[in-house]
Amino acid sequence: MPSWLTLMLESLPSLLWAGLIFTIPLTLLSFVLGLSVGLLAALIRLFAPAPFAAIIKFYVWIIRGTPLLVQLFLIFYGLPSAGIVLDAFTAALIGFTLNIGAYTSEILRAVISSVPKGQWEAAYSIGMNWSQAMRRTILPQAARVAVPPLSNTFISLVKDTSLAAAITVPELFQAAQRIVATTYEPLILYIEAAIIYLILSSVLSSLQARLETRLNRYGGFLEARS
């Protein structure tokens, strides 16, 4: 067996374990929390008084206009200067959550705005208040449109978690870096890490395509009934 293949097989359990313990939880938690932040931000942008909407707009402008790596460095290395010390995983979680929140807020704001005004009027005409109309009529329709861009954001997040290695989170990519430090074989280890990320992204892309197909069929069924 070639030495490079032996090295890849020997290092595979460590890389997969780091992915299972850190990369996947970090991705899932960041996306769920970021999506919650994004939904709240989108609703504030659309329906809150102008001063609150301006604050959210400023937050989105800051996050979208600066590199994610810089944001992580500010949280993990910068905040201790202000007396706020966070462990690496928490800092990464906050950084990714704020970043995902900004991007998903724009996605959700656009899809909610795309729902025809007549849907609001129809909901009000049968006695729904604002919150009921939003939960039962507007959000379900917006969700189907939001799935493709939100899925792309989630897949990108899986890859972006590799940046957490820069603030010492022992996720998949940092596990590869640690093995490189002892084996001095960066090409082999980084290719192996890239293959793992590629497999994860490919699986998620396949699931996304299936989900979109099912939603399109469901949407066509609803349109045929209406």
Side-chain angles (χ1 to χ4, degrees):
M1 182 181 297
S3 59
W4 62 267
L5 183 56
T6 301
L7 177 59
M8 292 183 78
L9 292 176
E10 291 177 349
S11 61
L12 183 60
S14 297
L15 297 182
L16 293 179
W17 181 251
L20 180 64
I21 298 301
F22 290 100
T23 299
I24 292 177
L26 181 59
T27 301
L28 294 176
L29 287 172
S30 298
F31 187 76
V32 170
L33 294 175
L35 188 59
S36 301
V37 170
L39 177 58
L40 178 61
L43 294 177
I44 291 174
R45 282 286 299 274
L46 289 170
F47 304 108
F52 296 100
I55 293 172
I56 296 300
K57 189 175 181 179
F58 179 75
Y59 152 66
V60 172
W61 174 66
I62 290 291
I63 296 297
R64 295 181 69 189
T66 55
L68 175 55
L69 185 60
V70 173
Q71 296 165 19
L72 293 174
F73 270 56
L74 282 172
I75 295 170
F76 186 65
Y77 295 112
L79 288 182
S81 300
I84 303 173
V85 180
L86 301 171
D87 65 82
F89 187 88
T90 302
L93 180 60
I94 293 173
F96 287 125
T97 296
L98 292 175
N99 189 270
I100 291 297
Y103 281 93
T104 56
S105 72
E106 292 298 283
I107 294 172
L108 295 172
R109 182 172 66 90
V111 297
I112 291 173
S113 298
S114 70
V115 177
K117 185 179 179 181
Q119 298 296 318
W120 286 98
E121 295 171 350
Y124 291 145
S125 70
I126 59 174
M128 291 186 187
N129 56 32
W130 184 90
S131 62
Q132 290 173 329
M134 177 62 69
R135 286 186 290 108
R136 299 178 183 179
T137 303
I138 305 303
L139 287 181
Q141 294 182 60
R144 183 165 64 91
V145 181
V147 164
L150 289 179
S151 298
N152 290 333
T153 300
F154 181 73
I155 293 170
S156 295
L157 177 61
V158 172
K159 296 174 288 184
D160 288 343
T161 55
S162 61
L163 294 174
I167 59 171
T168 71
V169 176
E171 46 72 61
L172 193 156
F173 186 65
Q174 196 190 66
Q177 289 179 314
R178 290 180 175 179
I179 298 173
V180 167
T182 59
T183 62
Y184 304 101
E185 293 287 355
L187 180 62
I188 296 172
L189 270 301
Y190 292 151
I191 287 177
E192 185 175 16
I195 291 172
I196 295 174
Y197 282 114
L198 180 61
I199 291 172
L200 283 173
S201 299
S202 299
V203 170
L204 291 173
S205 296
S206 177
L207 293 174
Q208 174 189 352
R210 293 185 180 184
L211 179 58
E212 289 179 22
T213 299
R214 294 193 64 176
L215 288 174
N216 287 335
R217 290 175 181 171
Y218 179 67
F221 173 72
L222 290 181
E223 289 168 5
R225 293 187 60 187
S226 61

